[in-house]
Amino acid sequence: GNAAKGVDMNTAPYGRISTFGSAEKTTSGSTYLYKDWKIATIQLNEGEVPNVPVNVDLRNMMIEINTDKGIRVISMSRVRRLLVGYENIDQQIFENTKAYNGAQAHINGLVEVLVNNETALLKYYYGYTSEGSYNAALDMGNNETKMMVKSRYFLFKNGKLVEVPKNRKKFIKNFPIEQQDALKTFLEEKDLTLKNQSDLIIVCNYLNEKQVKF
């Protein structure tokens, strides 16, 4: 017979092919926004649920509430605003994407408001699943499914929602030609990267200060 990893092949006439156990399929990671419960206030169109332990299920687009009677869920579509944490202590503010014309960028659910000004900076979280690349026939690769949380950034002004590209040149092209040189100089002098959230906040504040249009 011919020895092969995971397969015993006998190539003689009427020979046998015997297969051994394939790699076990596993799943790791999570598409929940937080590792633990967070205290939050949920503002709905029909009322408010104050100071409750929550987590955000990005895969199913739900807000989970930990109550003394078990876990309760609310669809993100019903949530107008979500205030996670305590005011003036690193509080995260989420708004429904409908408030920022999310349909323009094909996003729905909630966005975190990082800068709330004439030009707003928004962060959109979403669940992402990466399937394993295991090949059973060759018994190669891994059979692990990885679940993770990813994010995209957007600028919003005067009803227009624009995604922030990670490339500087593509980013600058979103603005009027007469403002592009000044913006390019600002990014270079400050050595700002569009992949870094703190840098994006600086850029957004600059756009507001200079009243840059897009």
Side-chain angles (χ1 to χ4, degrees), residues 33-34 40-44 54-58 61-64 74-84 92-100 102 107-113 122-126 150-152 154:
L33 185 55
Y34 303 111
T41 293
I42 306 170
Q43 296 181 357
L44 308 168
V54 306
N55 207 336
V56 181
D57 180 357
L58 295 168
M61 306 293 285
M62 296 285 184
I63 305 298
E64 293 191 358
I74 296 177
S75 172
M76 287 187 190
S77 63
R78 293 179 56 202
V79 178
R80 182 169 55 86
R81 181 177 293 115
L82 177 68
L83 307 173
V84 180
Q92 290 178 281
I93 300 175
F94 296 85
E95 298 270 1
N96 197 293
T97 54
K98 295 176 183 177
Y100 295 96
I107 61 173
N108 57 72
L110 300 174
V111 286
E112 182 181 3
V113 183
L122 311 172
K123 185 175 185 178
Y124 178 71
Y125 298 90
Y126 62 97
K150 292 194 172 187
S151 59
R152 298 159 62 189
F154 293 86

Side-chain angles (χ1 to χ4, degrees), residues 39-44 47-54 65 83 85-86:
I39 296 298
T41 293
I42 306 170
Q43 296 181 357
L44 308 168
E48 181 175 289
V49 184
N51 301 322
V52 290
V54 306
I65 306 172
L83 307 173
Y86 299 96

Side-chain angles (χ1 to χ4, degrees), residues 124-206:
Y124 178 71
Y125 298 90
Y126 62 97
Y128 178 80
T129 301
S130 175
E131 298 291 343
S133 58
Y134 179 71
N135 186 316
L138 300 176
D139 192 25
M140 295 177 62
N142 70 79
N143 210 15
E144 180 183 14
T145 297
K146 295 182 179 180
M147 303 173 70
M148 61 195 82
V149 174
K150 292 194 172 187
S151 59
R152 298 159 62 189
Y153 293 92
F154 293 86
L155 293 174
F156 179 80
K157 183 175 184 177
N158 296 331
K160 186 176 181 181
L161 185 66
V162 175
E163 185 168 2
V164 179
K166 296 179 180 180
N167 181 279
R168 280 187 184 178
K169 289 183 179 179
K170 291 182 179 179
F171 177 71
I172 292 171
K173 287 183 179 180
N174 285 310
F175 303 92
I177 295 177
E178 62 272 17
Q179 297 173 323
Q180 291 182 6
D181 286 344
L183 180 56
K184 179 182 178 181
T185 299
F186 175 77
L187 293 172
E188 291 175 347
E189 288 182 349
K190 298 292 184 180
D191 192 25
L192 300 173
T193 173
L194 302 175
K195 300 176 183 179
N196 185 295
Q197 180 170 302
S198 58
D199 285 2
L200 283 173
I201 292 174
I202 293 172
V203 173
C204 187
N205 288 333
Y206 168 86

